[in-house]
Amino acid sequence: MKEDQEQLTDFLQAPDDPANDPLLGLDQESTDSASQIFARRELLKVGTVPEGDRIVGRNEEIKAVANELRHLAMGEPPNHVMIYGKTGTGKSLVSRHVVKRVIDSANARGINAGKVYIECKSKNTETRAARTLTQELNSTVDELLDAGESTIRVPRRGIGAGDYYEYLWEILDEYYDGIIVILDEIDKHNDSDELLHELSRAREADHTDAHIGIVAISNKIQYRGRLNERVKSSMRNKDFIFEPYSASELVNIMEHRRDAFQEGVLTEGVIPKTADLAAQEHGDARKAIDVLRIAGEVAENENAEQILDRHVEEAQTHAEVDRLTDLLKAHPPQAKFVLYSLMKLTNSNDRHAFSTSDVYDRYNLVARDVGVDVLSFDRVYQILKESAFLGVTESQKISGGREGNYLDHTLLRDPDVVLTALLVNEDRLKKLEGDFTPPT
Ligand SMILES: Nc1ncnc2c1ncn2[C@@H]1O[C@H](COP(=O)(O)OP(=O)(O)O)[C@@H](O)[C@H]1O
Ligand SMILES: [Mg+2]
């Protein structure tokens, strides 16, 4: 007991070296060189923008996007670009890489060019986007030739999008010949039409003499159809679609980050297996790299000397649980109880598909056991349809039968994965399950 307590409060002691405080996990980071598994873990971290020579299999796309933007390096107006494609197909990576090359080249040729990357998911209103655009460009003025620091002061708050634009035009006219703006995940922006319209017609409307190039990226192909006509005509952009990666392309991408690991740690089958798993859903390089990193962490936690196929399988499960947990976080508790009911049915039957009535009967028992109100049949039916929409389950219409048409529901994910994700989110289910140990 005493020993336990000592261990529990160990982290409260002042660390020997604050730079490597174990409470903050910094002791592990800094011992990376001592890791048996990783040599450069950061190469596998989300958000790392790798150097150009690690980008593989996107040569055509890189050239094509560069071809639209290259004019800025000669002081001429770049074209606008719109990139579509599923997640993890290299859209952000290629855009950032090409834009950086264009801006660096322009600056080396004596042209005052700048770039801004806007993550539309978080800068999702016109004011937020305009503020970021204005502040970032104002703060990078000192990177321009002979410019020094900007003398323009942009208020941090208290002004709206229109005011920020006024500052933006002033900054552009004072310091810049041209800029390229990356609007990433623009389908998640609330006012994307207004933003695109304002930026794409700024010169025409005589707001500024600077050239503005826009690279807009969307995970949804349908986004183009949603743009209004006014924007479409002022954008006059070129569209590109990035296709998902094949398994062999994913192998290539991972091979180029092999040096994230210590020599000899990756056994032969690991990269191909990771690639196969990622290619089965859609060829998502982010997922592949994630699973590879987690496989390394699993091996590390076991003190293993090498990463084996089974570490990849475990990592895949971990990654699925993480994603599903995220997805379920936004679900109301009742939806979790419905999903739990379908999971229980799946686990205790030979068949996989269950009618709404089957699920409803089971849900009644679950709702009673956890002590919540029992929702109506219709509501449960709605919840099942919503969960199909999220890709957690699948609903299929069965025609005929004694009671006419009905829906059959199938769990699309591994029941253990679903259960683990549900238990993370819902203490009442944890109680029901008692001593369930999650798959590792
Ligand atoms: N062709 C590629 N070569 C090397 N790494 C890639 C490639 N495509 C994607 N990646 C890596 O995969 C992850 C996801 O890529 P990203 O560009 O963010 O995808 P998207 O923006 O299409 O969702 C990033 O870590 C990125 O570095
Ligand atoms: Mg992206």
Side-chain angles (χ1 to χ4, degrees):
M1 176 69 198
K2 175 128 190 297
E3 212 167 87
D4 263 11
Q5 257 175 4
E6 256 167 34
Q7 273 196 344
L8 281 176
T9 54
D10 240 12
F11 64 88
L12 293 176
Q13 310 264 322
D16 299 334
D17 174 11
N20 297 320
D21 191 337
L23 175 61
L24 313 176
L26 293 172
D27 54 335
Q28 275 157 21
E29 296 269 321
S30 61
T31 54
D32 221 33
S33 54
S35 163
Q36 290 201 64
I37 298 290
F38 292 103
R40 293 185 59 195
R41 194 190 304 252
E42 75 277 6
L43 288 177
L44 306 174
K45 287 245 160 97
V46 185
T48 306
V49 182
E51 311 93 87
D53 56 3
R54 293 187 194 274
I55 308 180
V56 281
R58 283 292 183 232
N59 294 352
E60 294 309 311
E61 289 80 357
I62 289 174
K63 278 193 229 155
V65 173
N67 200 37
E68 301 303 315
L69 303 177
R70 59 193 283 275
H71 314 91
L72 188 57
M74 279 134 336
E76 286 160 28
N79 296 321
H80 302 308
V81 170
M82 194 85 119
I83 301 177
Y84 302 96
K86 292 194 171 164
T87 53
T89 53
K91 302 182 300 295
S92 303
L93 175 62
V94 166
S95 306
R96 295 182 96 139
H97 178 76
V98 173
V99 169
K100 181 172 188 312
R101 294 273 293 266
V102 172
I103 301 306
D104 286 352
S105 172
N107 289 335
R109 298 166 62 102
I111 289 153
N112 284 323
K115 60 178 191 303
V116 189
Y117 174 87
I118 297 187
E119 184 193 60
C120 295
K121 199 161 52 171
S122 57
K123 312 284 184 261
N124 59 348
T125 65
E126 201 179 6
T127 304
R128 283 186 192 155
R131 181 198 293 135
T132 307
L133 200 54
T134 308
Q135 286 178 338
E136 298 249 322
L137 284 170
N138 203 34
S139 70
T140 51
V141 162
D142 62 353
E143 293 169 18
L144 302 171
L145 227 57
D146 312 320
E149 296 241 329
S150 169
T151 55
I152 299 171
R153 292 285 153 261
V154 182
R156 286 178 180 280
R157 56 193 74 252
I159 64 175
D163 299 317
Y164 279 116
Y165 287 132
E166 291 304 321
Y167 280 103
L168 178 61
W169 312 142
E170 194 185 330
I171 293 163
L172 289 179
D173 278 340
E174 185 68 30
Y175 299 106
Y176 287 93
D177 301 319
I179 58 165
I180 298 179
V181 183
I182 300 178
L183 299 171
D184 205 353
E185 303 200 28
I186 187 144
D187 48 304
K188 305 235 169 74
H189 201 281
N190 299 337
D191 314 314
S192 62
D193 275 355
E194 288 77 4
L195 186 60
L196 288 172
H197 189 243
E198 191 70 29
L199 293 177
S200 60
R201 61 181 276 282
R203 238 173 95 98
E204 211 174 84
D206 229 5
H207 291 318
T208 174
D209 286 332
H211 301 302
I212 302 180
I214 302 170
V215 178
I217 305 173
S218 166
N219 287 334
K220 298 211 172 72
I221 308 259
Q222 311 88 299
Y223 179 77
R224 174 126 186 91
R226 293 213 313 257
L227 275 182
N228 81 26
E229 289 306 321
R230 195 177 57 137
V231 175
K232 271 187 203 159
S233 74
S234 67
M235 278 277 289
R236 282 191 304 273
N237 58 287
K238 187 95 179 222
D239 287 353
F240 296 100
I241 295 179
F242 282 30
E243 298 295 340
Y245 293 113
S246 65
S248 68
E249 285 171 320
L250 292 173
V251 166
N252 233 333
I253 290 172
M254 285 184 276
E255 282 294 348
H256 277 73
R257 302 194 194 195
R258 189 178 260 280
D259 52 332
F261 297 96
Q262 302 281 6
E263 267 313 295
V265 158
L266 280 179
T267 56
E268 206 181 318
V270 166
I271 285 181
K273 187 175 180 83
T274 309
D276 275 346
L277 289 172
Q280 270 167 28
E281 293 173 53
H282 72 261
D284 182 332
R286 184 181 294 106
K287 278 188 194 167
I289 294 172
D290 261 358
V291 170
L292 192 62
R293 190 196 67 250
I294 298 171
E297 289 168 354
V298 172
E300 192 169 51
N301 286 339
E302 283 183 9
N303 273 323
E305 283 170 8
Q306 287 193 310
I307 306 175
L308 309 171
D309 283 17
R310 71 176 168 83
H311 294 129
V312 176
E313 280 154 29
E314 250 179 62
Q316 167 83 356
T317 308
H318 276 298
E320 271 177 41
V321 169
D322 285 353
R323 281 197 295 273
L324 196 59
T325 305
D326 267 359
L327 199 63
L328 293 181
K329 238 178 231 153
H331 270 42
Q334 288 279 14
K336 290 174 190 146
F337 301 144
V338 172
L339 197 58
Y340 177 80
S341 309
L342 179 58
M343 185 278 302
K344 283 308 238 190
L345 285 171
T346 310
N347 251 352
S348 55
N349 280 284
D350 286 338
R351 62 200 166 100
H352 297 293
F354 301 91
S355 70
T356 314
S357 310
D358 289 340
V359 181
Y360 191 65
D361 289 347
R362 184 73 195 216
Y363 160 78
N364 265 274
L365 301 177
V366 172
R368 193 200 56 201
D369 285 350
V370 289
V372 293
D373 291 342
V374 177
L375 297 178
S376 71
F377 184 88
D378 277 352
R379 193 58 204 111
V380 169
Y381 175 79
Q382 283 304 326
I383 288 175
L384 284 165
K385 289 221 297 209
E386 281 158 27
S387 124
F389 177 74
L390 289 172
V392 182
T393 62
E394 187 177 55
S395 302
Q396 200 185 9
K397 200 185 223 152
I398 307 292
S399 40
R402 241 181 321 139
E403 283 118 62
N405 298 345
Y406 65 96
L407 274 188
D408 244 4
H409 310 278
T410 311
L411 200 60
L412 289 179
R413 315 286 177 99
D414 181 73
D416 275 350
V417 168
V418 174
L419 179 56
T420 312
L422 283 169
L423 296 188
V424 173
N425 274 305
E426 192 39 75
D427 284 343
R428 284 170 284 189
L429 291 176
K430 230 183 259 168
K431 261 202 198 124
L432 268 195
E433 283 293 316
D435 53 3
F436 169 80
T437 37
T440 48

